[in-house]
Amino acid sequence: MSTVGEVGGAQSVDRAITVLEIIAARSEASVAEIATEVGVHRSTVSRLLSALEGRGMVEVAGSRGRYRLGSGLLRLASSVSGPLDVTVQGAEICERLAAELGETVNIAVTRGDSAVNVYQAAGSGAITVDSWVGRPTPLHATSSGKILLASFDDRALEAALARRLDAFTPQTVTDPVELVRQLVEARSRGFAVTIGELEEGLNAIAAPVRGAGGSVVAALSTSAPGYRLTAIAIPAHAAAVVAAAAEVSRRMGYR
């Protein structure tokens, strides 16, 4: 026979799970919004959020008194983490970086022998690139693809290099030996660069996003016309991209 304490405890657990589901559905939510949806007093929600925050399951989203899912929850779910997690955790950072650089920022993941963008934030530049969300792009001819390739183990990389490496522009690297050299360099410095390899006049920089276990789960990149993302501008932009990717990694549970 259940005691009053057991019933109350089960109710609290149920409400805590409901709170997490509400935040997951909204990306972020306020105490008032959660209280209204659950149908309880704000003080009850505040206590639940405080407990969840203490265990890293939720965290404050900016300075607006709103909450989002925390890295502690992602660590528990690391075995099933996917593009949705990266998108949720990286959206705000991508928007911020796009505003800072004035250029387009993307998050991409590996799908088969392609890199697929799952999120894009538009910069403020007068001329921006087209949306590539949902469209497969070649691993060997994009900055995101190269940083993803750089994370492959020997067997997976050998299989990728065994496929035909098509040339999309005169600058596309199609020599496996040169591509491997670039991948080694990308691993060493923490970012990959492409100069007009997928589209002439379009340059890009990408850095790895890591999950809770330390493996690369996505790439965060910025791209812009070559006359804006010049050789002189690349180092500063690369530093910003690497920092943003590291921040997304922390939100994904990587320490």
Side-chain angles (χ1 to χ4, degrees):
M1 182 176 182
S2 298
T3 66
V4 174
E6 288 173 341
V7 173
Q11 185 181 54
S12 294
V13 171
D14 182 69
R15 284 176 175 171
I17 293 172
T18 301
V19 168
L20 292 173
E21 290 175 340
I22 291 169
I23 295 174
R26 294 170 175 256
S27 294
E28 58 180 60
S30 68
V31 172
E33 290 169 345
I34 296 170
T36 298
E37 192 159 340
V38 177
V40 298
H41 196 274
R42 292 188 186 184
S43 62
T44 301
V45 172
S46 293
R47 287 194 296 272
L48 289 171
L49 287 170
S50 179
L52 290 169
E53 186 179 10
R55 300 302 293 270
M57 301 297 135
V58 300
E59 60 188 23
V60 175
S63 58
R64 297 171 294 168
R66 303 177 69 81
Y67 289 82
R68 62 182 170 226
L69 298 181
S71 59
L73 186 62
L74 289 171
R75 282 193 293 273
L76 291 178
S78 60
S79 62
V80 292
S81 293
L84 179 60
D85 293 329
V86 176
T87 300
V88 169
Q89 296 303 315
E92 178 185 342
I93 296 167
C94 286
E95 296 292 343
R96 190 194 317 147
L97 182 62
E100 175 188 340
L101 299 179
E103 308 295 357
T104 302
V105 174
N106 281 283
I107 293 177
V109 298
T110 306
R111 283 293 176 268
D113 59 356
S114 301
V116 177
N117 289 320
V118 293
Y119 188 85
Q120 180 167 301
S124 59
I127 299 177
T128 58
V129 298
D130 294 333
S131 174
W132 285 88
V133 173
R135 296 166 61 184
T137 58
L139 290 169
H140 70 286
T142 59
S143 62
S144 291
K146 287 186 180 182
I147 207 66
L148 291 168
L149 275 175
S151 73
F152 282 18
D153 60 30
D154 291 343
R155 183 175 180 179
L157 182 57
E158 183 178 353
L161 295 179
R163 303 185 187 101
R164 178 178 173 177
L165 303 179
D166 293 321
F168 298 91
T169 75
Q171 287 72 45
T172 307
V173 176
T174 58
D175 177 9
V177 175
E178 172 58 19
L179 183 56
V180 168
R181 186 197 68 77
Q182 291 188 7
L183 298 181
V184 171
E185 183 179 26
R187 284 193 210 105
S188 174
R189 65 186 181 181
F191 63 91
V193 176
T194 51
I195 306 295
E197 294 188 41
L198 182 62
E199 296 180 7
E200 290 196 69
L202 180 65
N203 299 344
I205 305 165
V209 174
R210 299 182 183 277
S215 61
V216 174
V217 296
L220 188 150
S221 69
T222 185
S223 54
Y227 66 84
R228 288 207 305 263
L229 188 52
T230 62
I232 295 175
I234 283 175
H237 279 55
V241 170
V242 169
E247 187 175 353
V248 179
S249 298
R250 286 191 293 272
R251 292 192 180 183
M252 291 293 293
Y254 177 64
R255 292 293 183 271

